[in-house]
Amino acid sequence: GIQFNGDTAAANALDDYEEGTWTPALSRDGGTFAGTYSTQSGKYIKIGNQVFFTALVSLATIVTASYQSNTLTGLPFTAGSSQQVGGINVMTSSIFATDVVAGGNIYNTSIYLRKPANVLAGTNLNENFQVGGIMLSGVYTV
């Protein structure tokens, strides 16, 4: 790997860098989204054990159903710990009628979307999808 400032310790070498794309998708209660997408795009940069990502998902049609949790799935790498809180920046979201997305918890390769007052407490955002989109970015550890 690349070493800086004359440091020769292997543990301090930058030995992993990767850029790529991924396909974000929506899920409800661990199942598939019922409807059609107009946009599904994501990019990532992995530096060492840190993954920086962006995602844009837009819905063209929906099938209304009630459920308990909304997730964004398909992250390019599995998260390193059992559940990582925070690290998500929601730039815009119009896929929910009343609740807003405040952040999320990353588990495996999914982001569990959370309500504003309860991001850390783990309260799921459980509203029905509507035609619209969500754009977000974040970072997590693998």
Side-chain angles (χ1 to χ4, degrees):
I2 299 171
Q3 297 170 327
F4 299 94
N5 298 325
D7 189 345
T8 58
N12 296 335
L14 176 60
D15 58 0
D16 187 16
Y17 180 89
E18 181 179 334
E19 294 184 32
T21 61
W22 62 289
T23 305
L26 293 168
S27 172
R28 68 176 206 280
D29 293 339
T32 15
F33 165 70
T36 57
Y37 295 97
S38 55
T39 307
Q40 288 178 274
S41 71
K43 292 184 178 185
Y44 73 87
I45 297 174
K46 181 176 182 281
I47 303 172
N49 67 350
Q50 299 293 300
V51 179
F52 302 85
F53 68 90
T54 60
L56 172 61
V57 176
S58 299
L59 305 179
T61 64
I62 57 159
V63 175
T64 304
S66 60
Y67 39 89
Q68 299 303 310
S69 65
N70 297 310
T71 57
L72 190 70
T73 63
L75 287 170
F77 300 94
T78 301
S81 66
S82 62
Q83 188 169 6
Q84 298 182 29
V85 179
I88 309 297
N89 175 37
V90 180
M91 293 172 270
T92 185
S93 178
S94 61
I95 60 171
F96 303 108
T98 57
D99 277 332
V100 295
V101 179
N105 294 26
I106 296 175
Y107 182 74
N108 289 330
T109 57
S110 297
I111 302 168
Y112 288 76
L113 302 174
R114 303 296 190 206
K115 293 181 180 182
N118 300 298
V119 173
L120 296 176
T123 302
N124 295 323
L125 191 134
N126 57 355
E127 188 174 339
N128 290 333
F129 294 122
Q130 67 179 16
V131 173
I134 184 169
M135 182 187 314
L136 52 87
S137 65
V139 61
Y140 64 102
T141 303
V142 296

